[in-house]
Amino acid sequence: MSEPIISVENVCKSVTDSTGTLDILRDIDFSLAPRETAAIVGASGSGKSTLLSIVAGLDTPTRGTVRLAGQDLFALGEDDRAALRAQKVGFVFQSFQLMGNLTALENVMLPLELAGRRDSRRAATEMLARVGLEARLGHYPKVLSGGEQQRVALARAFVVQPAVLLADEPTGSLDFATGDTVMQLMFDLNREQGTTLVLVTHDRAIAARCERRITIEAGRIQA
C-alpha cells in the first residue's frame, strides 16, 4: 500500500479573544492516498475551511501534525513551506483569486514562471484549451463570466500538475450548469493527472461523487 499523500494527526485549532477561547478544530485525524478524492462536509462554521487552510499550510494548527508527501509541514519554516506548497499543491478558491491586471493566459502562466519553467506560455495555453478557454487567452478577469473565471483558476491550479488539489466551495458562486461543468473538469483532471482531490462543499451531489466523505461537526470528525 502506498504512503499517504496527506496525513493529518491530532490537529487542533483554537483562537482566543477577550471573550475566551474558541475551539475551531479538535483532534482531527485522517489520511488520504495518492489519487484519492475526498469531500469535507459539514454545517457552516463547523471548521471545514479552516481545516483545508491548515492542510494547505496557509494556516497553522494550535497543535498537531500535517504531513504532505511525507514532509511535516509545520516543522518547516515559512519559506520552505511555501516552496513545498508551490511544488505539490494547487488551490481553488470560491472567490477565484485571479490577478485583475493579468490576462487569463498570464494568470495561468504565473505559477509556472515562479517555478522557473521555460515552457510556461505553451503549458498555460494548452491547459486553458483543456478547460475550453482557448478563445479567451487575452481577456482580463473583469470581462470573463464567473464560470470562465473559475475555469481560469482551475487551469492555474492544475497547470503545475500538483500532487494535491484543494478546493474551497469551488462551485459556490456558480449557477448549477456552470458548476457541474467545473466539477466534471476537476474529476477529469484528477483522473488524467493522478492528483489527490480534496473539496470543501455544501453540495451533497458533489460530495457523493468523491470516494471519501469527511464530516466535520462542532470541530470534530464524525464517524
Side-chain angles (χ1 to χ4, degrees):
M1 187 175 176
S2 62
E3 286 288 313
I5 186 69
I6 296 169
S7 180
V8 178
E9 303 164 13
N10 302 313
V11 161
C12 300
K13 178 69 175 182
S14 303
V15 294
T16 302
D17 61 17
S18 59
T19 63
T21 299
L22 174 65
D23 294 323
I24 300 173
L25 296 172
R26 293 181 282 183
D27 299 317
I28 301 293
D29 277 285
F30 68 91
S31 61
L32 296 173
R35 310 181 74 94
E36 197 165 5
T37 58
I40 300 174
V41 299
S44 294
S46 59
K48 304 185 304 297
S49 293
T50 299
L51 175 58
L52 199 70
S53 291
I54 288 172
V55 170
L58 295 169
D59 194 0
T60 55
T62 304
R63 67 176 185 272
T65 304
V66 176
R67 288 188 172 85
L68 174 63
Q71 293 204 54
D72 183 342
L73 271 182
F74 301 105
L76 300 173
E78 278 192 33
D79 289 347
D80 288 338
R81 191 159 64 239
L84 180 62
R85 184 166 58 241
Q87 183 184 12
K88 298 287 187 183
V89 179
F91 209 113
V92 178
F93 301 87
Q94 182 176 344
S95 56
F96 315 136
Q97 300 283 348
L98 299 178
M99 303 289 285
N101 61 329
L102 300 181
T103 65
L105 179 60
E106 290 166 342
N107 265 283
V108 179
M109 287 172 62
L110 186 61
L112 295 171
E113 290 179 331
L114 291 173
R117 285 270 295 271
R118 294 182 178 181
D119 63 341
S120 59
R121 180 172 292 272
R122 179 192 61 77
T125 300
E126 289 177 357
M127 184 54 70
L128 282 164
R130 177 68 186 78
V131 300
L133 292 177
E134 60 268 34
R136 308 290 266 168
L137 302 182
H139 290 72
Y140 290 90
K142 66 182 180 182
V143 299
L144 299 175
S145 69
E148 287 171 334
Q149 289 185 56
Q150 189 62 300
R151 281 186 281 160
V152 173
L154 195 58
R156 181 181 60 188
F158 266 109
V159 75
V160 294
Q161 297 189 311
V164 175
L165 182 77
L166 306 174
D168 192 0
E169 295 286 1
T171 63
S173 56
L174 305 177
D175 63 71
F176 175 79
T178 306
D180 193 55
T181 299
V182 166
M183 286 311 308
Q184 189 59 53
L185 277 167
M186 293 183 80
F187 283 105
D188 287 348
L189 290 165
N190 156 257
R191 285 193 295 272
E192 291 168 17
Q193 295 190 2
T195 298
T196 300
L197 185 59
V198 186
L199 311 170
V200 163
T201 184
H202 282 97
D203 190 318
R204 292 182 181 181
I206 291 173
R209 294 181 65 176
C210 294
E211 296 162 303
R212 291 266 305 276
R213 260 180 283 188
I214 300 166
T215 302
I216 307 290
E217 189 175 303
R220 294 186 184 275
I221 290 181
Q222 300 301 304

